[in-house]
Amino acid sequence: MTSKYDAIVIGAGIVGASCAAELHRAGLRVLAVDAFKVGCGTTGGSMGHVLVMDDSEAQLNMTSMSRNIWNNLAESHSAEIEYNPCGTIWIAADDEEMEAVHSKADNYGKHGIAVQVLDQEGLYSLEPNLRPGLLGGLRIIDDCVIYPPYSSRLFLEPIELRENCRAVQVLDHQVILEDGTKLQGEYIVNACGAAAPDLTPELPIQPRKGHLVITDRYPDFCRHQLVELGYLKSALKMEKESVAFNIQPRLSGQFLVGSSREFAGWDDGINHSILQRMLARACSYMPKLRELLAIRSWTGFRPASPDKMPFIGRWPKVKGLYIAAGHEGLGITNSTGTARLLADEILGRTPSIDPDPFRAARILE
Amino acid sequence: MTKVVVVGAGPAGIAAVWRAAQSQAQVTLIDPHPRPGGQIWLHADEAAAPKEAKPWLDKLDRLPVTRHFGSTVIDILPSVVRMQSESGGLEYVEFDKLILAPGAQELFLPFPGWTLPYIMGAGGALALLRGGMPVKGLRIAVAGSGPLLFAVAGKLAQAGARIIAISEQTSRRRLLGFGVGTLMHNPGKILEGIRHARHYLPSPFYTNTWIKEARGDSRVREVTLTNGKRLHRLKCDLVACGFGLVSSGALAVLAGCDQQSGSTVVDRFQQTSVKNIFCAGEITGIGGVDLSVIEGEIAGLAAAGNESEASRCFPKLEKQRKFARWLNKSFALKAQLKDMPDEDTIICRCEDITYGQLKNLADQCSAKLYTRCGMGPCQGRICSNALKFLLGWDLNTVRPPVFPAKIGDLISTP
Ligand SMILES: Cc1cc2nc3c(=O)[nH]c(=O)nc-3n(C[C@H](O)[C@H](O)[C@H](O)COP(=O)(O)OP(=O)(O)OC[C@H]3O[C@@H](n4cnc5c(N)ncnc54)[C@H](O)[C@@H]3O)c2cc1C
Ligand SMILES: Cc1cc2nc3c(=O)[nH]c(=O)nc-3n(C[C@H](O)[C@H](O)[C@H](O)COP(=O)(O)OP(=O)(O)OC[C@H]3O[C@@H](n4cnc5c(N)ncnc54)[C@H](O)[C@@H]3O)c2cc1C
């Protein structure tokens, strides 16, 4: 069998789906394969918050390019991706965090990201269910929420797809499947998320487990994605375990409550102590959450890289192999920008943003 | 002393409690209802307890057992169960051995119009009746399958309803066979049935017949029955339907116990594939109250370490199992029932998902990812059973809490 594709994308999570769509749009003949099914990995269990983060210049460039692509997509496909332009509010609980609000506002402003500094009154008028005594917040106006499994399916609609199809090895311009089938492709993309090292063992990606809880429907309980500014400390430090307040309104009237981070291998069971800490943290910010019914909890694995940056681009050790993996807690957001950058490289286009901080091969140097 | 925790105070749970306590275990019993009894022995007040239940309820009264009525188990951890207690808070109960006896739930199969008001599960209708719903003079169609239909029709008729149809999907031949078989294996059951008979016998009775559709406005007004060829259109005020029972497996799945054909797998001593966890009653398969009691006895004895006594129950167990197999064969659901829903029939009521959106998907996981079917507040408790029958999809993974719980309760610690 010598079916030959221009590009074979391994892994149909949001990142693989987005890359496949971008390459297809550029005219390539693309095949996507997934060991299970579209969006059933980390993508299926995530929050779908699309946000601009400013913790480094590179991250800001990547997230803002990505968010723009999402917002543009929503103009034509709002329903298909369950788009909710709710914006983000970063919440300041003390003077130090309020200072951060101001310096971040400056920084975002400089990069043309629309923000609004909220004083105490402004915060409570937008989100009356927050606990009293908070100092204010930073509203990132154009951040949004999407539903990742639907979006992944949308991306893959025009693309040849094989589900229940596991890749076991990547050789020069070739993918070997579990059943022995060999697929030829000029470009091979490893987009296996936290499992990417199975095919490319040198990739230092680790599963970083997170818990989420979904509530019953309580329309209007909260209207923006709310995140404590302390989140940055928890997300960016590589501590063994951490929790932070993060709540998201869904269009259904339900709420997703997060977030936790821990390194616990691939054990997907609920860690009750961390779940309790996470919920207690959330209730400390929104005491009325205590009265809401939780209907389900689950876990997912963020594909964590040591320097918090994803690996995007050519992998010099195998001819034709490219990596698009390691997006930690920003893979939904950055899936679109990742696809853009990857396609820039494959097609020899001028890179949309500075690709250097994301280069996959950095780890080999 | 061995700490035995029994979840569910139906016949199986009560029998387990009795036998475990008798064998010197320290026993705790948990059930969401204010009183013991489960599906069949539950009573609104002392006087209303059915006669057969009396000796068991009396036994239970006299036992030195810790009771948590009004409490629901929502999660199982190694050697602790978490329950939402009557007071609303979350409580933890430690166990050495756990006996799960949560019974079964009614299988409801969707048909066009089933979401109209006054269409309900047969068991649900009984519960409402028990709760004082007035049915006098109402025209009621009872449809579905299984011996329960007669019990339901009988009770509704007794309360003054006009039963305009009892519609049983199985064939007349199988039904007669079941009668004869029951007489041979279990004559007591027939007497039970006959006791209600004078109430429902005058009702029009259809075999080989199921619901094609229901119509109405603010409530159901009309139901159409079919045998695949002919249609019977009947004016009615209420439809009670149930297609038999399916095991309530959520707790066992959560605990990691092996499942087979929709029930939890147990060995001769009712021990599941998970150490220290036993199951008894209809969670292991549908077989009626007598089988549940014996399984409960065996589980109670075995959990308390009294295996020799438990093995004395084996002959009785075998007899009841035989009856259960006969029962399940007689009322096996026809393949034609899979055609009951049409494209626009809602399957998942929580998320408003139609059959058309689901029928071409591969499995439950796809349904969740791409339609959110089964992800609403009921957690698929209703639709997942229907989909198992309609499309052959297996029970999805169960995530705690098994029943919705207040976030404030989830953060309380032991
Ligand atoms: C609790 C939680 C909340 C999150 N919230 C957000 C958020 O709000 N916003 C945000 O931007 N990000 C969020 N994230 C992060 C985001 O979910 C991930 O970064 C993103 O889903 C990664 O996507 P992926 O496509 O790389 O991986 P995956 O979704 O895991 O996809 C990888 C796919 O590859 C397949 N695969 C694996 N191995 C093979 C193989 N050998 N052969 C074939 N196929 C294979 C898998 O089956 C899978 O479908 C969150 C993560 C978690 C855990
Ligand atoms: C209307 C009707 C008529 C019937 N007639 C007959 C008959 O004539 N003859 C016959 O043999 N059988 C009959 N049956 C069947 C009989 O009811 C069952 O066989 C029997 O009740 C099964 O016993 P069980 O203990 O396994 O479960 P159940 O009686 O269902 O008891 C289970 C208990 O566990 C509780 N529970 C469930 N989940 C949890 C949880 N998470 N935490 C705590 N508690 C929980 C439930 O609330 C319930 O109280 C009838 C059933 C019905 C509904």
Side-chain angles (χ1 to χ4, degrees):
Chain A
M1 239 189 44
T2 57
S3 56
K4 184 158 160 68
Y5 296 91
D6 295 329
I8 300 171
V9 177
I10 312 169
I14 192 88
V15 172
S18 184
C19 290
E22 183 81 15
L23 294 173
H24 169 82
R25 237 190 324 271
L28 269 55
R29 180 163 176 242
V30 183
L31 171 74
V33 302
D34 197 284
F36 302 103
K37 61 185 75 216
V38 174
C40 71
T42 309
T43 298
S46 83
M47 256 186 160
H49 182 203
V50 172
L51 70 165
V52 177
M53 292 276 274
D54 71 338
D55 43 286
S56 69
E57 186 74 14
Q59 197 64 276
L60 210 154
N61 290 337
M62 175 56 98
T63 49
S64 75
M65 165 169 72
S66 298
R67 194 191 69 179
N68 283 345
I69 302 174
W70 280 112
N71 282 332
N72 288 338
L73 179 67
E75 284 176 17
S76 51
H77 293 83
S78 171
E80 288 101 319
I81 62 175
E82 272 198 3
Y83 180 69
N84 182 4
C86 58
T88 307
I89 300 177
W90 293 91
I91 294 164
D94 55 29
D95 291 327
E96 191 190 337
E97 289 178 0
M98 203 56 211
E99 254 169 59
V101 163
H102 290 289
S103 63
K104 279 167 156 303
D106 286 347
N107 193 25
Y108 277 118
K110 261 189 237 137
H111 288 79
I113 306 293
V115 300
Q116 180 190 6
V117 173
L118 300 171
D119 60 10
Q120 210 167 34
E121 200 184 324
L123 181 66
Y124 291 116
S125 73
L126 290 177
E127 294 293 350
N129 285 324
L130 284 167
R131 73 153 192 259
L134 297 166
L135 297 189
L138 179 65
R139 178 175 171 208
I140 318 284
I141 294 168
D142 299 321
D143 283 357
C144 62
V145 168
I146 56 110
Y147 188 52
Y150 288 5
S151 308
S152 311
R153 286 255 287 202
L154 176 71
F155 289 142
L156 289 169
E157 235 165 49
I159 285 152
E160 187 180 339
L161 170 69
R162 295 197 201 169
E163 294 183 313
N164 302 311
C165 182
R166 177 179 291 279
V168 291
Q169 206 183 356
V170 181
L171 303 171
D172 294 351
H173 304 292
Q174 190 179 65
V175 179
I176 302 181
L177 302 180
E178 204 167 26
D179 66 1
T181 310
K182 292 179 180 143
L183 300 168
Q184 317 292 325
E186 184 61 26
Y187 310 108
I188 315 278
V189 182
N190 178 351
C192 292
D198 291 356
L199 297 175
T200 312
E202 296 91 340
L203 284 174
I205 297 175
Q206 279 190 76
R208 197 178 188 190
K209 179 167 164 178
H211 289 74
L212 284 178
V213 167
I214 190 156
T215 70
D216 205 341
R217 297 173 188 194
Y218 301 92
D220 245 20
F221 178 77
C222 108
R223 298 166 204 147
H224 302 78
Q225 175 113 19
L226 304 180
V227 195
E228 62 167 300
L229 267 165
Y231 172 86
L232 295 173
K233 297 173 207 152
S234 105
L236 296 177
K237 270 194 240 139
M238 280 302 213
E239 274 169 36
K240 226 180 124 249
E241 275 189 17
S242 62
V243 298
F245 167 56
N246 188 339
I247 184 169
Q248 172 180 98
R250 308 285 324 175
L251 286 177
S252 61
Q254 295 172 289
F255 293 91
L256 281 177
V257 184
S259 64
S260 72
R261 286 178 148 78
E262 69 190 296
F263 289 105
W266 285 100
D267 170 9
D268 69 355
I270 300 290
N271 175 339
H272 287 272
S273 83
I274 205 165
L275 183 75
Q276 278 176 334
R277 277 176 55 204
M278 175 182 107
L279 292 173
R281 184 83 191 165
C283 292
S284 78
Y285 275 83
M286 281 192 127
K288 287 188 182 149
L289 264 177
R290 293 173 158 273
E291 297 306 310
L292 271 47
L293 282 177
I295 60 177
R296 192 167 65 251
S297 59
W298 66 88
T299 61
F301 299 104
R302 301 179 186 87
S305 74
D307 61 1
K308 320 319 170 276
M309 293 293 188
F311 299 104
I312 305 170
R314 208 169 70 77
W315 189 251
K317 293 192 137 186
V318 181
K319 285 198 188 106
L321 178 59
Y322 291 74
I323 309 294
H327 294 73
E328 219 272 358
L330 282 173
I332 305 304
T333 304
N334 286 341
S335 59
T336 49
T338 296
R340 189 64 54 88
L341 213 51
L342 182 83
D344 288 344
E345 184 174 358
I346 286 180
L347 303 165
R349 307 187 298 216
T350 314
S352 311
I353 57 171
D354 176 11
D356 205 55
F358 306 102
R359 275 187 316 114
R362 71 182 183 274
I363 205 68
L364 298 171
E365 284 153 13
Chain B
M1 265 212 288
T2 315
K3 278 185 246 159
V4 174
V5 171
V6 178
V7 181
I14 294 173
V17 166
W18 172 54
R19 288 301 213 161
Q22 220 183 28
S23 311
Q24 318 308 325
Q26 181 190 327
V27 186
T28 304
L29 175 62
I30 305 171
D31 193 283
H33 298 101
R35 289 169 179 282
Q39 287 269 16
I40 186 169
W41 293 345
L42 189 69
H43 48 294
D45 57 73
E46 215 70 62
K51 203 165 80 258
E52 327 66 274
K54 206 66 175 93
W56 287 102
L57 296 173
D58 287 348
K59 253 182 221 161
L60 184 63
D61 264 349
R62 287 194 300 269
L63 291 171
V65 174
T66 311
R67 290 150 230 255
H68 294 285
F69 290 125
S71 302
T72 305
V73 173
I74 61 164
D75 199 2
I76 299 172
L77 319 181
S79 71
V80 205
V81 298
R82 298 213 297 170
M83 66 178 186
Q84 185 131 39
S85 69
E86 195 169 19
S87 58
L90 211 62
E91 285 179 34
Y92 292 73
V93 186
E94 279 181 38
F95 65 83
D96 299 316
K97 310 279 174 182
L98 178 64
I99 301 176
L100 298 176
Q105 60 204 112
E106 204 163 42
L107 173 62
F108 191 99
L109 296 179
F111 49 84
W114 73 272
T115 52
L116 283 168
Y118 291 89
I119 297 186
M120 56 189 76
L126 276 192
L128 288 178
L129 191 63
R130 227 186 264 140
M133 173 177 71
V135 295
K136 205 167 164 58
L138 290 189
R139 295 165 299 180
I140 298 182
V142 180
S145 193
L148 229 112
L149 293 189
F150 294 101
V152 172
K155 294 217 162 112
L156 289 169
Q158 200 175 357
R162 264 176 58 204
I163 305 299
I164 54 156
I166 300 175
S167 159
E168 162 63 60
Q169 59 90 38
T170 206
S171 65
R172 188 163 295 259
R173 190 172 53 82
R174 284 207 163 166
L175 199 65
L176 284 173
F178 175 69
V180 174
T182 309
L183 204 56
M184 276 162 30
H185 296 301
N186 218 331
K189 297 259 174 198
I190 287 283
L191 293 177
E192 246 169 69
I194 289 174
R195 218 177 44 207
H196 295 297
R198 68 194 160 89
H199 297 294
Y200 63 72
L201 269 188
S203 323
F205 181 61
Y206 303 84
T207 45
N208 201 20
T209 301
W210 56 95
I211 298 184
K212 178 159 174 58
E213 66 170 342
R215 288 173 190 243
D217 32 57
S218 60
R219 60 183 298 165
V220 62
R221 302 282 178 196
E222 184 184 279
V223 63
T224 306
L225 306 177
T226 184
N227 59 2
K229 293 180 212 105
R230 266 191 308 166
L231 302 179
H232 305 273
R233 194 173 283 179
L234 306 167
K235 295 253 175 286
C236 69
D237 306 307
L238 192 149
V239 178
C241 52
F243 290 83
L245 299 171
V246 283
S247 304
S248 297
L251 285 174
V253 173
L254 183 73
C257 305
D258 287 349
Q259 306 288 304
Q260 195 180 21
S261 328
S263 300
T264 305
V265 179
V266 288
D267 70 7
R268 292 192 306 158
F269 292 105
Q270 304 296 127
Q271 158 84 51
T272 68
S273 62
V274 176
K275 207 166 162 244
N276 298 331
I277 300 187
F278 296 73
C279 280
E282 300 213 300
I283 184 175
T284 71
I286 306 308
V289 62
D290 299 332
L291 178 59
S292 296
V293 166
I294 296 162
E295 289 193 0
E297 290 191 48
I298 294 173
L301 289 164
N306 197 349
E307 295 200 342
S308 64
E309 189 65 32
S311 51
R312 285 197 213 167
C313 301
F314 290 163
K316 267 199 289 180
L317 180 74
E318 199 31 55
K319 180 169 162 245
Q320 289 300 331
R321 287 247 160 96
K322 221 165 168 175
F323 172 72
R325 282 193 290 273
W326 186 249
L327 173 86
N328 291 318
K329 202 176 129 205
S330 303
F331 294 98
L333 297 181
K334 277 192 193 344
Q336 278 147 295
L337 300 184
K338 293 184 186 178
D339 299 329
M340 284 205 312
D342 63 21
E343 290 279 314
D344 301 326
T345 306
I346 300 272
I347 303 286
C348 167
R349 213 171 182 171
C350 301
E351 301 284 334
D352 278 351
I353 311 297
T354 63
Y355 192 50
Q357 286 171 276
L358 295 170
K359 66 176 193 196
N360 296 322
L361 294 175
D363 51 27
Q364 188 116 29
C365 172
S366 306
K368 278 187 155 194
L369 282 172
Y370 314 135
T371 72
R372 265 204 248 284
C373 177
M375 290 167 81
C378 99
Q379 280 285 277
R381 252 184 298 283
I382 296 169
C383 65
S384 68
N385 288 325
L387 287 167
K388 188 170 170 55
F389 173 72
L390 295 170
L391 297 170
W393 292 354
D394 277 323
L395 185 69
N396 49 346
T397 47
V398 175
R399 315 268 200 185
V402 174
F403 294 94
K406 278 192 190 163
I407 288 181
D409 292 339
L410 289 175
I411 60 183
S412 63
T413 41

